[in-house]
Amino acid sequence: YESKINPIAPSGASIVNEATRYIIPSPTMAPDKRIEIYNQQYWWRLLGTMHDSFPLVTRLFGYYEFNQTIATPFLKKYPPDHWSLNHLGSRLPQWAQEEYKEKDRSLILEAIEVEWAFNDSFFSGELNTKDFLKATKEGENSSLLEEKVYLQPHVHLFELKHDLFSFRDKMLQEDVEYWGNNDFPPMKKNKLFHFVLYRKQNGHVVWKEISRNAFRLLNHFKTGCSLIDACQWLEEQDDDLITEATEHLHLWFQEWTMHRWLGTH
């Protein structure tokens, strides 16, 4: 892009001729150069929004490499199609799956997915919330046992090869320039990590590491299921899940109810 406006206008005419039809020259600038300034400012705003939406990925690359390797190719393939720039990076996970092929592909794809989830969680809606812990106790709220229950739209579940959430917290303690001159903090890897990302009632988006089995049961509510169906599904799983669920199911539902991770339409 090199800060230059496209020489061809959307009409197919040259930008020099098209700009002359709508913009008068200034004492020092031709019409096409005047509109080029606004084009540059908008482009810089898009890049700035990408930096804000993906702060970890920006720190991993640095501003210049992030713009060249991630933001510019992404925006060329998927230009903004929504009036709000809050949605600008919504297709970056898709672009990364399609286009990013470097050796650190696994880490970068996970980082992009996590960072977009932070954005999405902040703006997502919320379903009705109820006391699902009481519904799991025999004889109480029997009608709720049969009602379809879903993960809240602001809740995101992750099974990752890297402990990206702790790593991200450490990286965000310093600015982009700092990490251009210093080693990254250590990051746990070489096993599967399970996390829940969610929005608290005060609007803050936070995360929590959970067990693999709690993750498996929560994941079962992604497409919606009743509590009765969930219990029946549990009975069909391996001994490891059944054993942990027997000991912790009431604690899980207590926590999930407290954090408002589940809801109904």
Side-chain angles (χ1 to χ4, degrees):
Y1 277 83
E2 299 179 352
S3 299
K4 301 294 184 181
I5 195 169
N6 192 327
I8 304 300
S11 65
S14 73
I15 195 67
V16 173
N17 293 333
E18 188 81 350
T20 304
R21 296 177 57 192
Y22 302 101
I23 302 169
I24 63 173
S26 75
T28 58
M29 281 190 175
D32 61 301
K33 296 302 180 183
R34 295 188 71 189
I35 194 63
E36 186 171 67
I37 292 175
Y38 292 97
N39 180 80
Q40 292 168 354
Q41 290 175 338
Y42 181 62
W43 181 247
W44 294 334
R45 186 180 181 191
L46 294 181
L47 293 177
T49 300
M50 293 292 290
H51 300 158
D52 293 340
S53 297
F54 299 92
L56 170 60
V57 185
T58 302
R59 282 161 173 76
L60 290 173
F61 284 89
Y63 286 123
Y64 179 80
E65 285 300 327
F66 176 82
N67 292 346
Q68 295 298 310
T69 305
I70 303 292
T72 299
F74 163 68
L75 291 168
K76 288 174 68 175
K77 184 171 184 178
Y78 294 113
D81 61 356
H82 193 279
W83 64 268
S84 173
L85 290 183
N86 294 328
H87 296 268
L88 181 63
S90 62
R91 289 183 289 179
L92 188 62
Q94 176 185 343
W95 175 88
Q97 287 284 350
E98 297 166 348
E99 303 291 342
Y100 193 80
K101 309 297 183 184
E102 302 302 321
K103 292 180 179 180
D104 58 356
R105 171 181 166 87
S106 174
L107 171 64
I108 298 304
L109 263 59
E110 286 188 352
I112 288 173
E113 289 278 359
V114 165
E115 299 231 88
W116 179 248
F118 271 91
N119 291 274
D120 185 65
S121 183
F122 183 79
F123 292 105
S124 292
E126 186 167 17
L127 304 177
N128 298 320
T129 57
K130 298 175 182 177
D131 191 341
F132 298 101
L133 177 61
K134 287 185 178 180
T136 62
K137 296 178 180 178
E138 186 175 354
E140 295 190 36
N141 296 315
S142 58
S143 62
L144 185 55
L145 287 171
E146 300 175 356
E147 192 170 355
K148 216 166 193 182
V149 178
Y150 298 83
L151 274 183
Q152 291 282 0
H154 61 80
V155 172
H156 295 266
L157 302 178
F158 290 96
E159 184 177 70
L160 304 175
K161 298 176 182 177
H162 308 84
D163 183 10
L164 266 176
F165 284 90
S166 297
F167 179 74
R168 183 180 187 272
D169 285 350
K170 294 174 184 175
M171 289 288 287
L172 266 56
Q173 291 174 9
E174 306 291 348
D175 60 25
V176 176
E177 288 81 3
Y178 175 88
W179 294 117
N181 300 299
N182 293 274
D183 293 336
F184 293 157
M187 177 172 52
K188 297 176 184 177
K189 53 186 179 179
N190 299 324
K191 74 166 194 172
L192 289 179
F193 300 86
H194 300 88
F195 300 96
V196 180
L197 179 74
Y198 65 101
R199 186 181 67 236
K200 298 174 68 174
Q201 287 183 269
N202 62 9
H204 294 162
V205 178
V206 297
W207 60 271
K208 178 179 176 62
E209 187 170 6
I210 60 174
S211 73
R212 173 177 175 268
N213 287 326
F215 170 89
R216 291 169 64 189
L217 180 55
L218 265 178
N219 198 57
H220 199 61
F221 290 102
K222 258 189 175 180
T223 55
C225 73
S226 70
L227 298 180
I228 289 178
D229 289 339
C231 290
Q232 291 176 343
W233 174 83
L234 273 174
E235 294 173 357
E236 299 169 357
Q237 302 312 303
D238 55 74
D239 291 342
D240 179 57
L241 175 53
I242 294 174
T243 299
E244 186 175 353
T246 300
E247 296 180 9
H248 298 285
L249 188 62
H250 66 293
L251 296 176
W252 288 348
F253 274 96
Q254 180 179 359
E255 179 181 39
W256 301 349
T257 297
M258 178 180 67
H259 291 315
R260 303 163 71 92
W261 290 352
L262 300 174
T264 60
H265 288 295

